[in-house]
Amino acid sequence: MPLLFLNEKSWATTCDHTRADAAMADFVDVVRAVAKEDPAETSLVSEDGLTSLEIAKDYPIGKWIGASPKNHARWLRLRALQNRSPVRSVYPAPDADGHLEYRHEGEKVLGLGAAHFMDGIAVSLPVAPEWETSSVSLERSELVELDDESLEFDHETVDVRHVSSLPHADEYRAWIRESSLARAATGRQIWERRADLYPHLQFLPRTEGHLTGLDPSWVVPARNCLERLEAAVALWDPATRHEPEWQTKVTPESQTRREVCRFTDLDGERRLFELHARFTPGMGRIYFRLVPEERAIRLAHIGSKIRPDL
């Protein structure tokens, strides 16, 4: 399910109305070109309703809509794709508040950041040269938990998929088709397709509720973490290595908390599932144990950091 996230930084810039009109015509064409690959599922997500936006300074979108029948027709096509949920709804609030931030050239950006976090595509109004690219670099700051349970900010540069012209849309057509066919978009889909998606991961029955009840904003981070675990275990040779070469951070639970990680295994025995991978922002955890005789790992908990009452 491709999500298109509106880059708010590309709107309300200084340009004449003629340039703004041309940019809006291109914008609608680009959005429709992306949606064509998966018309039933594509959504355009924005922090504010499109009707409240200014295309350029002192040029609200409402004025553009009423300027000509062609503009009105373009607006109807665009509105059919707009997701009513704001960008902030894709973050696991309140976990993301103060925990995760994206900046572009020093300026905090919401839409571009959400596109990266949700593994989607950012879309810009093509009014400035800086948006004439199919990938935009962002500075990402994330509050992470260390092994001693202290917190510190981790900083990195990331690239987000980006479109502002038809050639950019063409560049991502194959990715959109593959994403739509091969990736689960909900926790329920992850559970139902787990055997095909993650053949080396075994899920305890209790994890069905974890996945089906997963906050929609955590689906992509959890899915990405599962994909990295699957990739590592698929390459694992238990005869030569005690554990896989993890492609994500995996650590055992602290000695003081190990006992909260005991669960009833598939054979009815209580066992320790203390190894865990993390998905963020917040305290997302996937707890599991190694099953070397089957070249697999068995998952017992997916969701928030485990508490004694869970």
Side-chain angles (χ1 to χ4, degrees):
M1 179 177 67
L3 292 175
L4 276 169
F5 292 88
L6 190 72
N7 171 21
E8 72 280 1
K9 193 178 176 184
S10 67
W11 290 68
T13 58
T14 301
C15 69
D16 60 62
H17 289 192
T18 300
R19 177 74 186 93
D21 288 345
M24 276 301 294
D26 291 342
F27 178 82
V28 175
D29 287 345
V30 168
V31 170
R32 294 187 69 211
V34 173
K36 186 177 180 180
E37 296 302 320
D38 193 2
E41 297 295 336
T42 302
S43 294
L44 176 63
V45 185
S46 60
E47 166 62 0
D48 300 307
L50 290 181
T51 53
S52 66
L53 296 177
E54 284 191 333
I55 301 172
K57 293 291 185 183
D58 301 320
Y59 191 30
I61 198 168
K63 188 172 182 179
W64 168 79
I65 294 169
S68 74
K70 286 185 177 180
N71 289 353
H72 187 262
R74 291 187 179 104
W75 164 247
L76 293 178
R77 295 168 188 152
L78 196 61
R79 190 175 63 177
L81 292 169
Q82 187 183 18
N83 187 317
R84 293 184 180 181
S85 299
V87 168
R88 289 191 187 277
S89 70
V90 306
Y91 286 114
D95 289 341
D97 294 340
H99 285 235
L100 180 67
E101 182 179 272
Y102 289 89
R103 290 182 178 269
H104 177 260
E105 296 181 347
E107 183 178 342
K108 190 174 180 179
V109 286
L110 194 60
L112 290 168
H116 180 268
F117 176 73
M118 291 298 292
D119 197 22
I121 302 176
V123 58
S124 295
L125 195 66
V127 292
E130 64 185 313
W131 310 126
E132 295 174 3
T133 176
S134 61
S135 179
V136 175
S137 292
L138 306 176
E139 299 84 45
R140 172 182 164 119
S141 299
E142 180 180 2
L143 193 65
V144 297
E145 184 182 23
L146 304 181
D147 292 341
D148 63 2
E149 299 188 0
S150 64
L151 300 174
E152 75 172 20
F153 272 99
D154 180 60
H155 304 279
E156 63 176 329
T157 299
V158 298
D159 293 323
V160 60
R161 301 179 193 91
H162 176 263
V163 295
S164 64
S165 67
L166 291 178
H168 298 159
D170 291 339
E171 187 173 330
Y172 290 116
R173 287 186 191 279
W175 176 83
I176 294 168
R177 287 193 292 269
E178 178 185 346
S179 177
S180 299
L181 291 172
R183 290 192 165 187
T186 66
R188 167 58 66 183
Q189 288 177 353
I190 292 176
W191 173 258
E192 292 176 347
R193 299 171 59 189
R194 65 194 184 283
D196 294 327
L197 294 172
Y198 317 112
H200 297 89
L201 308 187
Q202 301 173 0
F203 296 72
L204 291 189
R206 70 191 308 273
T207 61
E208 177 179 5
H210 300 167
L211 287 170
T212 57
L214 199 63
D215 188 303
S217 60
W218 258 4
V219 170
V220 171
R223 186 188 70 197
N224 290 344
C225 189
L226 290 169
E227 289 173 356
R228 290 190 288 269
L229 290 173
E230 167 63 30
V233 180
L235 298 173
W236 181 32
D237 180 2
T240 60
R241 291 186 61 87
H242 171 67
E243 63 180 43
E245 293 189 61
W246 303 115
Q247 299 182 19
T248 187
K249 186 172 183 178
V250 171
T251 55
E253 192 55 271
S254 64
Q255 288 295 320
T256 59
R257 286 176 40 83
R258 291 181 77 223
E259 290 307 306
V260 304
C261 301
R262 291 191 183 276
F263 300 99
T264 301
D265 209 338
L266 296 177
D267 60 2
E269 295 292 325
R270 294 276 293 180
R271 291 195 174 91
L272 190 63
F273 291 76
E274 67 164 338
L275 291 176
H276 60 274
R278 304 168 184 181
F279 57 93
T280 55
M283 296 292 183
R285 297 289 189 273
I286 297 177
Y287 287 82
F288 60 91
R289 75 177 187 89
L290 300 173
V291 189
E293 63 273 18
E294 299 181 40
R295 197 175 59 140
I297 61 174
R298 192 165 295 159
L299 284 60
H301 180 90
I302 303 169
S304 299
K305 185 175 181 178
I306 237 172
R307 300 193 307 271
D309 57 338
L310 295 178

